[in-house]
Amino acid sequence: MQDNSELIARAKAWLAEDPDPETRDELAKLIDAEDTEELTARFTGTLQFGTAGLRGELGAGPMRMNRSVVIRAAAGLAAYLKAKGQTDGLVVVGYDARHKSADFARDTAAVMTGAGLRAAVLPRPLPTPVLAFAIRHLGAAAGVEVTASHNPPRDNGYKVYLGDGSQIVPPADAEIAAEIDAIRSLNDVPRPDTGWETLTDDVLNAYLARTDAVLSPRSPRTARAVYTAMHGVGKETLLAAFDRAGFPAPVLVAEQAEPDPDFPTVAFPNPEEPGAMDLAFATAARTSPAPDLVIANDPDADRCAAAVEDGTEWRMLRGDEVGALLAAHLVKRGAHGTFAESIVSSSLLGRIAAKADLPYEETLTGFKWIARVDGLRYGYEEALGYCVDPDGVRDKDGITAALLLTELASELKEEGRTFLDLLDDLAVEHGLHATDQLSVRVEDLSLITDAMRRLREQPPTELAGLPVTRAEDLTRGTETLPPTDGLRYTLDGARVIVRPSGTEPKLKCYLEVVVPVAEKSALPAARTRATDLLTAIKRDLSAAAGI
């Protein structure tokens, strides 16, 4: 613990270099008030640069997201690229519509220019997949996206891609972090006022031209959708893509259509969060004729959610359900190449791939791993991320996923069927794969550490009455996976994975049960059985972890 005089001295030194009037004023008030509790929270350590880049709450100090932290991160990235021989490489910078995103993008471009690299900034706030596309399209050495994705309004983040168009993985993250740590003073980082390029809509138009390629040329385009951008940047790009494809224009959720960094209608701007889709469902209920599906993007539009009418209610599909639907659609269209998913996603994808005689791979969590699978044709993760055009966007893409889902809805509509009918077919063919998640958000990160330690020291021998046939500590790695902080339990007819979130203060537990289904008439009983098992596994796992 640092004494107060050292704490105040560190804060004053930071204040002297801070280029942002807002955070300077904020920090000066904390220093004047001698608010040691708040200063300690901001100055004990620094935001850690990892494989998710940076993400954190906006504010002054090294433990917050601000211009000083971003300038250091950009300078570290520039030094890393130059050390790798990219002395005049191009760095493309994209940004969302969150607070400070445009400032962070401009600072990044200035730092790259000052380091002798070339920098190009997207013309305005645009979906993250446009940035991921632009890296490959322009032959860039790296790309930066300023976004906190679906985090709360007070957060922002900094995501780094290398020249292959996929996010960084070890050891690049540690090497960039070391370069960041080597920067002693912001005064040592040249930041010219000009010298970088602001891109035109040519890159966006090239991305949109590519979106057409995910669809089958002669497929029906009749499905009608309700769409929410969740106060993010997806609307204009998605509408343009749907128009090019010839789909009916989606009905917009007006309250959430325009970018708004305060996200006023949702507690968390994430389609998975309770209540986030309520306005979309209300819009669908009053739309005539009734829409065939509801589509949602998260604020930076790299994720895609879907909902369908189930009886008299609209039901949000799980990410695993959408993942299976898209896989079945691609198989039916004769797709070739490897199907891949992260270990926390449903094992149903592996069964679909095996039945189609297609290669299949499991990876660690995150598209930074999925995107690196050799020969990738389709990749998905249960957290609403889908990569349906890996040659164009080597990352999850909520725009092209929405197009492909709407094509599938159109084909099923022509047959008088829905997504739910196709999910029933898959359950009969492969067994009912039911997934759920136990997710615990904490203020005190030590609670997550304690839960993981408890599970390592006393792993459960059974959950929901099912014996644990195998318990794996993934920090040791496996034959096919590099080490990661996680635990995997294999049960008789079920699977559980426990891991700390890489982007939020959460402990996440991913549950799956597989119930054999002999025929369609057995589905209701199978669903009841699956629900009971998932509920019991949650209960027993909570007790074992002490959460």
Side-chain angles (χ1 to χ4, degrees), residues 473-516:
D473 186 342
L474 298 177
T475 54
R476 302 186 180 101
T478 72
E479 290 182 6
T480 57
L481 297 171
T484 188
D485 186 8
L487 300 164
R488 178 163 62 181
Y489 303 115
T490 303
L491 300 90
D492 186 10
R495 182 214 66 196
V496 173
I497 292 173
V498 184
R499 58 180 282 272
S501 170
T503 56
E504 298 176 271
K506 282 182 175 182
L507 181 70
K508 301 182 103 172
C509 310
Y510 304 85
L511 324 175
E512 179 176 46
V513 300
V514 183
V515 181

Side-chain angles (χ1 to χ4, degrees), residues 288-313:
S288 182
D292 301 294
L293 73 164
V294 172
I295 295 169
N297 286 140
D298 68 337
D300 69 324
D302 63 350
R303 288 173 169 82
C304 178
V308 291
E309 207 165 12
D310 188 1
T312 58
E313 302 290 326

Side-chain angles (χ1 to χ4, degrees), residues 315-358:
R315 176 167 82 81
M316 172 93 162
L317 297 178
R318 291 190 168 277
D320 285 316
E321 291 176 310
V322 174
L325 288 170
L326 289 173
H329 183 46
L330 289 169
V331 165
K332 185 180 177 183
R333 279 183 24 184
H336 295 285
T338 302
F339 280 27
E341 64 181 339
S342 63
I343 56 172
V344 299
S345 305
S346 171
S347 59
L348 177 55
L349 182 68
R351 298 192 182 199
I352 292 172
K355 182 74 180 289
D357 199 25
L358 291 172

Side-chain angles (χ1 to χ4, degrees), residues 228 230 271-282 294-296 305-307 316:
T228 176
M230 206 67 68
E272 293 179 295
E273 292 284 346
M277 296 288 284
D278 287 355
L279 285 170
F281 295 161
V294 172
I295 295 169
M316 172 93 162

Side-chain angles (χ1 to χ4, degrees), residues 118-456:
R118 293 177 294 127
V121 183
L122 292 181
R124 58 186 172 282
L126 286 168
T128 293
V130 177
L131 181 276
F133 167 82
I135 295 165
R136 292 165 69 85
H137 180 68
L138 298 173
V144 170
E145 176 70 17
V146 179
T147 181
S149 188
H150 55 270
N151 274 39
R154 64 179 182 271
D155 290 359
N156 212 328
Y158 198 80
K159 188 184 293 188
V160 176
Y161 298 76
L162 293 182
D164 63 354
S166 57
Q167 297 173 49
I168 54 168
V169 295
D173 57 340
E175 292 172 6
I176 295 169
E179 297 285 6
I180 295 170
D181 291 343
I183 296 159
R184 290 174 171 261
S185 167
L186 289 193
N187 297 328
D188 299 334
V189 181
R191 301 195 306 279
D193 293 328
T194 59
W196 58 89
E197 178 186 3
T198 299
L199 295 166
T200 67
D201 277 352
D202 287 352
V203 168
L204 174 61
N205 291 334
Y207 166 81
L208 287 169
R210 176 116 201 152
T211 63
D212 300 348
V214 306
L215 303 173
S216 184
R218 290 169 296 281
S219 63
R221 311 284 167 94
T222 55
R224 297 184 174 276
V226 163
Y227 171 72
T228 176
M230 206 67 68
H231 298 296
V233 299
K235 182 192 79 170
E236 296 299 336
T237 305
L238 183 129
L239 289 180
F242 269 57
D243 182 57
R244 289 179 64 102
F247 288 115
V251 175
L252 299 178
V253 179
E255 303 93 330
Q256 298 174 334
E258 300 303 325
D260 187 332
D262 294 319
F263 304 103
T265 69
V266 287
F268 290 93
N270 178 355
E272 293 179 295
E273 292 284 346
M277 296 288 284
D278 287 355
L279 285 170
F281 295 161
T283 301
R286 63 174 180 264
T287 297
S288 182
D292 301 294
L293 73 164
V294 172
I295 295 169
N297 286 140
D298 68 337
D300 69 324
D302 63 350
R303 288 173 169 82
C304 178
V308 291
E309 207 165 12
D310 188 1
T312 58
E313 302 290 326
W314 281 88
R315 176 167 82 81
M316 172 93 162
L317 297 178
R318 291 190 168 277
D320 285 316
E321 291 176 310
V322 174
L325 288 170
L326 289 173
H329 183 46
L330 289 169
V331 165
K332 185 180 177 183
R333 279 183 24 184
H336 295 285
T338 302
F339 280 27
E341 64 181 339
S342 63
I343 56 172
V344 299
S345 305
S346 171
S347 59
L348 177 55
L349 182 68
R351 298 192 182 199
I352 292 172
K355 182 74 180 289
D357 199 25
L358 291 172
Y360 164 77
E361 281 196 34
E362 273 191 323
T363 74
L364 293 184
T365 309
F367 262 84
K368 57 185 176 283
W369 298 108
I370 294 171
R372 284 181 157 72
V373 168
D374 285 342
L376 182 67
R377 174 59 185 88
Y378 169 61
Y380 98 90
E381 190 157 64
E382 54 73 44
L384 309 182
Y386 312 95
C387 175
V388 300
D389 177 26
D391 290 339
V393 176
R394 201 157 279 270
D395 196 7
K396 54 188 176 293
D397 183 346
I399 305 297
T400 49
L403 286 172
L404 204 60
L405 272 174
T406 309
E407 178 183 62
L408 174 57
S410 299
E411 290 188 359
L412 291 167
K413 183 178 184 178
E414 299 294 300
E415 301 167 5
R417 286 157 42 86
T418 69
F419 287 164
L420 299 181
D421 295 312
L422 181 51
L423 288 170
D424 286 351
D425 292 348
L426 292 171
V428 172
E429 186 174 3
H430 302 288
L432 176 66
H433 290 61
T435 57
D436 203 354
Q437 194 178 124
L438 174 63
S439 181
V440 182
R441 184 180 291 271
V442 300
E443 293 290 332
D444 181 359
L445 290 175
S446 69
L447 296 174
I448 294 176
T449 305
D450 291 345
M452 295 296 288
R453 176 182 47 77
R454 194 175 290 114
L455 288 169
R456 285 191 168 100

